[in-house]
Amino acid sequence: MTKRILGIDVGGSSIKAGLVDVTTGRLLAPLAQVPTPQPSTPAALIEVFVALDSRLSGGGAIGLALPCVVQQGVTRTAANIDSGWLDFDCAGRLRERLDRPIVVLNDADAAGVAEMRWGAGEGTRGVVIMLTFGTGIGSAIFNDGVLLPNTEFGHLEMQGMDAEHFASARVRTEQQLDWPAWAARVNQYLARMHALFWPDVFILGGAVSENFAHFAPLLDSPADIRAARFAGQAGVIGAALAAA
Ligand code: BGC
């Protein structure tokens, strides 16, 4: 039987949503995409979630991925989103508006969950680190397929700054780095991550995934480096799966 769950993924510039068949990981229609309201306050985003739900959902559960540490539905950090998300009871507030099961989780954790279940990490045992390169750098770490939630490896210090201020996709665009220059930074970051965690596999995803062919040959790590299969859809699919 098809189980359809609405997945929503909040990014720095856009919010993506789609109804997902959580028995197969397939999107049932092309992703809906709307610009992230600026400022990206909880009140503004809750209205967007409610509107997306009335447009897309069949009235079932909702999985919501946010660029925040999330504990029991409460968002705890706000690096690339309005500071109103600090200690905001997102699941509780959304449940007041939409009376149904709601699961809220970190966006990179959601992407990693999708990749481990149906994507580049499917069936992979050992330590896998999913990294998403977008506005920031998101991370998810798995051992034998089991997630340790809320890792924030994008905030590892490198060159006296947060790693995501050194090697995210946004930095590449803003500083107009060519692929070799950006890949050199990513290699430094992967080397640092490898020295600390010794993963068997890195899965690289996020906004930059569609250009994987440009920079993959320039990357180097003792760990196996794989492209995310779901690219920009992973957060939506993983959020829905988490809510299933
Ligand atoms: C946030 C993470 C998030 C990542 C990707 C970082 O700035 O701290 O929670 O996963 O960006 O969106």
Side-chain angles (χ1 to χ4, degrees), residues 66-69 77 79-80 106-108 132 136-139 152 155 164:
L66 285 160
C68 310
V69 166
T77 61
N80 286 309
N106 172 263
D107 56 356
T132 61
I137 297 178
S139 60
E152 287 284 314
H155 299 283
E164 68 178 20

Side-chain angles (χ1 to χ4, degrees), residues 28-166:
L28 294 162
L31 279 186
Q33 201 160 335
V34 294
T36 306
Q38 300 299 338
S40 50
T41 58
L45 266 68
I46 292 275
E47 293 312 317
V48 175
F49 303 153
V50 170
L52 285 167
D53 174 71
S54 73
R55 201 170 119 196
L56 300 171
S57 107
I62 300 173
L64 174 60
L66 285 160
C68 310
V69 166
V70 185
Q71 293 177 309
Q72 289 83 43
V74 179
T75 49
R76 297 293 188 190
T77 61
N80 286 309
I81 196 165
D82 186 83
S83 59
W85 290 88
L86 292 171
D87 298 327
F88 175 68
D89 181 8
C90 180
R93 192 64 67 82
L94 203 48
R95 238 176 258 126
E96 285 167 11
R97 296 289 299 277
L98 304 167
D99 183 22
R100 67 187 71 145
I102 290 162
V103 169
V104 186
L105 75 167
N106 172 263
D107 56 356
D109 285 352
V113 162
E115 293 293 335
M116 292 305 289
R117 177 70 174 270
W118 292 295
E122 186 177 352
T124 305
R125 298 187 66 80
V127 176
V128 178
I129 296 182
M130 166 95 202
L131 295 170
T132 61
F133 292 85
T135 307
I137 297 178
S139 60
I141 188 164
F142 297 83
N143 184 35
D144 289 344
V146 178
L147 171 70
L148 173 69
N150 287 320
T151 56
E152 287 284 314
F153 299 146
H155 299 283
L156 202 72
E157 190 184 316
M158 288 193 68
Q159 314 279 328
M161 63 184 107
D162 271 16
E164 68 178 20
H165 295 152
F166 177 69

